[in-house]
Amino acid sequence: MAHMSVSKINYNANSGMYEARVDVRRGGTTFRYPCAVPGTLVMDTDRVRSRLMQQAERMSDSGSSLRSVI
């Protein structure tokens, strides 16, 4: 199972998206993913965090090229 951490979450009013960097630690390596999910300004923070982590997990499992390795 991967361990995930979400950086500071920002709301981009122009795009209506919550944006954050999500770090996925798997097998001793940390992978960083730029994530963005749509939502309203008053969306529950826990729900935003969960959706960002789900997006990062999908990107991590797909071998996406939008990642950096630390």
Side-chain angles (χ1 to χ4, degrees):
M1 178 103 193
H3 176 268
M4 292 188 215
S5 61
V6 180
S7 69
K8 181 180 178 220
I9 299 171
N10 296 302
Y11 184 72
N12 183 332
N14 288 329
S15 64
M17 305 279 274
Y18 284 93
E19 303 169 338
R21 183 192 76 226
V22 180
D23 293 348
V24 178
R25 186 158 180 81
R26 186 178 305 217
T29 304
T30 300
F31 301 92
R32 286 196 165 149
Y33 298 94
C35 296
V37 294
T40 63
L41 185 57
V42 295
M43 192 170 175
D44 179 65
T45 304
D46 289 337
R47 184 168 182 197
V48 172
R49 183 177 306 280
S50 174
R51 291 179 66 192
L52 288 164
M53 289 177 17
Q54 288 172 358
Q55 184 183 59
E57 187 171 33
R58 283 192 308 273
M59 292 169 76
S60 179
D61 290 342
S62 69
S64 173
S65 62
L66 288 177
R67 67 179 182 190
S68 65
V69 180
I70 303 172

